[in-house]
Amino acid sequence: MELATLQKQLAAQLTQMDGAKIVHETSFCIPVHAFKVTYHPVLKKPMDILMKMMLISFQTGVFRDGETLADVLLVEPLFINDLLNKMIKTSLVEKADTLQLTAKGEKQLTEGVYEEELDAVSDILQYSPLHESFLKGDMEDVLEFDEFPEELSYAAGIEVGELDEQQMMDLLTDMQEEDDELKTYVTSIIASEEIQINDVPCLAFILHDTKTDTLFARIFNTLTNEWDHVLENKKKKNERPTWKEKYMI
């Protein structure tokens, strides 16, 4: 898509605002850092009946191995031992002289929910130092634009600080596919590595509100595909003192 075409579409949209008149249009790029983030998704699902029966048995009775429990529950030892190994691996049960529930096992039994850590996977997250946060959006769509303006002057030289792992985990959790019963969460980050910096075009408009005789900015971010209030506030802070002289002659 041509950036100029999008700019015309947005301008037409803004001029529909009551009392708004565009006095200046421009475009610029902001740097967005791509990070490859590796993590273990945690799958949460309703606990099945056999697992509940086994956990209750370990909670109320004394069992030293899976075969003894299989005799009591009248279930094939193969099924019991397979599930028991999974419980021990996921720290729901610990084996000492007898098989006992851990605090984690007690909690999951009470909630009726089984949590399973899945194999490690990696995803790409896009971080903007100007926003001091990660941005949602498809970078492949951004790269389809026919032109890329100059970088915003006060975006140059801004370094990426320490990344907020909780923000990363929340965003990765939002990206997980879910159905009615299964939910996948991200509770820890294994590693993150910066792999690339991309330029993201943004389209800026300075508007005159004829009702209040004031100037304000609207900026469209092509990565998020939304009006960007963070960039609007930064533009206002950095450039507003010159607006009246430049655009109200």
Side-chain angles (χ1 to χ4, degrees):
M1 182 178 185
E2 292 185 0
L3 206 59
T5 301
L6 178 58
Q7 190 153 8
K8 288 179 181 178
Q9 293 173 354
L10 295 171
Q13 178 183 329
L14 290 173
T15 52
Q16 297 301 311
M17 297 170 57
D18 188 25
K21 177 184 176 183
I22 297 174
V23 296
H24 183 66
E25 298 181 30
T26 189
S27 59
F28 56 82
C29 282
I30 62 170
V32 174
H33 299 245
F35 282 86
K36 181 181 179 181
V37 182
T38 305
Y39 58 96
H40 283 290
V42 176
L43 179 65
K44 290 189 178 183
K45 59 184 178 181
M47 189 174 289
D48 63 46
I49 297 299
L50 180 56
M51 182 177 285
K52 283 184 180 179
M53 291 171 62
M54 290 176 65
L55 291 176
I56 291 171
S57 298
F58 296 142
Q59 186 183 49
T60 58
V62 177
F63 296 92
R64 289 183 170 80
D65 53 52
E67 284 75 11
T68 306
L69 179 59
D71 290 340
V72 173
L73 297 180
L74 301 178
V75 177
E76 284 289 334
L78 179 64
F79 296 136
I80 294 294
N81 285 323
D82 182 61
L83 197 49
L84 177 58
N85 289 335
K86 182 180 289 187
M87 290 178 176
I88 293 173
K89 182 180 178 181
T90 56
S91 301
L92 300 184
V93 173
E94 60 185 5
K95 189 172 183 179
D97 292 336
T98 60
L99 294 163
Q100 299 177 343
L101 265 68
T102 63
K104 181 179 178 181
E106 294 274 4
K107 180 176 181 294
Q108 293 192 23
L109 176 60
T110 300
E111 295 176 349
V113 174
Y114 173 60
E115 299 180 8
E116 179 182 4
E117 187 175 80
L118 305 179
D119 292 338
V121 295
S122 296
D123 276 311
I124 304 298
L125 296 183
Q126 312 288 347
Y127 182 83
S128 166
L130 269 175
H131 294 76
E132 297 181 350
S133 66
F134 293 91
L135 303 182
K136 293 182 180 180
D138 190 340
M139 188 60 71
E140 293 301 318
D141 290 341
V142 173
L143 297 176
E144 291 295 322
F145 283 112
D146 62 327
E147 59 181 304
F148 288 81
E150 294 295 321
E151 184 175 83
L152 184 64
S153 59
Y154 41 88
I158 298 180
E159 296 183 359
V160 175
E162 185 174 350
L163 299 179
D164 186 332
E165 283 204 358
Q166 186 59 55
Q167 191 180 79
M168 295 165 69
M169 290 187 291
D170 290 343
L171 185 54
L172 290 166
T173 295
D174 289 343
M175 293 166 60
Q176 305 303 305
E177 294 184 2
E178 298 181 1
D179 60 28
D180 291 338
E181 290 191 341
L182 304 181
K183 294 185 177 181
T184 307
Y185 297 85
V186 178
T187 57
S188 63
I189 303 295
I190 300 172
S192 61
E193 175 190 6
E194 182 175 347
I195 57 174
Q196 191 173 337
I197 302 176
N198 293 300
D199 287 330
V200 172
C202 296
L203 303 174
F205 303 84
I206 307 300
L207 294 100
H208 178 215
D209 185 340
T210 57
K211 290 186 174 182
T212 60
D213 194 28
T214 56
L215 295 167
F216 64 97
R218 296 308 310 271
I219 298 177
F220 190 84
N221 186 320
T222 61
L223 176 59
T224 62
N225 207 34
E226 294 178 337
W227 296 107
D228 194 316
H229 300 304
V230 172
L231 294 180
E232 289 168 0
N233 288 332
K234 288 188 179 295
K235 193 170 187 67
K236 177 180 175 181
K237 180 180 178 181
N238 285 275
E239 301 179 21
R240 189 176 184 182
T242 67
W243 285 355
K244 190 170 184 180
E245 179 182 349
K246 286 182 176 180
Y247 309 127
M248 296 290 285
I249 298 175

